[in-house]
Amino acid sequence: MRIIAGEARGRKLYAPGGEDTRPTADRIRESVFGILGVRVLGARVLDLFAGTGALALEALSRGADRATLVDRDFKAISCIHRNAEAVLGAQGLARAEIIRADYRRAIERMQGSFDLVFLDPPYRMEAAYGDALARLRARGLLSPGATVVLERAEARNTPLPEGFAVRDGRLYGETRVEFIGEGEQT
């Protein structure tokens, strides 16, 4: 895995061993960021189940202002720190806040709002998708017009809380990526 574009293009990313972390494939990341386009520039990013940190670090490389990366797994957090330092360097680390916590606890402690949210929990945590969206909205953590990028298994249907709609969706093998926004479906 590598950073695909931007100021850190080509820098290597590491993944923790084992089956607990499922990194987003380079080709999926490239497609997602092609779809997001200029929405990344200056964005405040939340990577709620960060794993390797690849999505948030790619966003920072492509011009996002700040990123908050959350994961509860110690090995994942260690890997995120390693990747952030490799991608951003010592001075750039100020643009990344790394939090080791369960997503529910992390959301309860967060301040401010986010323009771009990556929501990619382990596929077995089906209820986490809707729960995280509802919690983010209840805490006022979604900026007006925020985009949520949801990655899930194609075989699973992920119901969204009322008031959220799929704006766009793509299928990559057995992985579905959906671009979610607040409001009615267009």
Side-chain angles (χ1 to χ4, degrees), residues 2-162:
R2 299 189 181 281
I3 294 294
I4 296 164
E7 63 188 38
R9 180 182 182 178
R11 294 209 180 121
K12 186 175 181 176
L13 296 171
Y14 301 92
E19 296 181 15
D20 292 335
T21 301
R22 177 189 32 78
T24 301
D26 287 357
R27 70 181 180 91
I28 296 174
R29 263 188 300 119
E30 185 171 16
S31 178
V32 164
F33 281 94
I35 293 165
L36 290 171
V38 298
R39 287 181 274 192
V40 175
L41 298 175
R44 292 160 299 184
V45 175
L46 173 61
D47 194 347
L48 201 50
F49 297 86
T52 64
L55 291 166
L57 295 172
E58 184 77 39
L60 289 169
S61 178
R62 291 174 182 247
D65 186 44
R66 295 195 45 75
T68 301
L69 299 88
V70 177
D71 205 291
R72 71 179 183 186
D73 183 75
F74 178 77
K75 287 192 291 185
I77 288 294
S78 295
C79 187
I80 292 167
H81 278 285
R82 181 179 181 189
N83 286 336
E85 189 169 333
V87 169
L88 303 173
Q91 291 180 329
L93 282 175
R95 296 171 52 207
E97 177 183 19
I98 302 169
I99 300 170
R100 181 176 179 231
D102 176 80
Y103 77 95
R104 293 166 287 232
R105 278 199 354 240
I107 289 171
E108 288 305 313
R109 295 189 311 218
M110 287 181 191
Q111 302 292 318
S113 62
F114 299 96
D115 308 303
L116 179 58
V117 176
F118 294 105
L119 187 54
D120 181 17
Y123 290 167
R124 69 183 181 280
M125 294 177 63
E126 289 181 47
Y129 293 96
D131 184 51
L133 287 170
R135 287 172 185 268
L136 289 166
R137 180 174 50 204
R139 294 265 304 124
L141 297 172
L142 297 173
S143 300
T147 299
V148 178
V149 179
L150 186 148
E151 184 178 331
R152 65 178 177 85
E154 165 60 16
R156 308 252 173 126
N157 185 19
T158 306
L160 302 176
E162 188 174 324

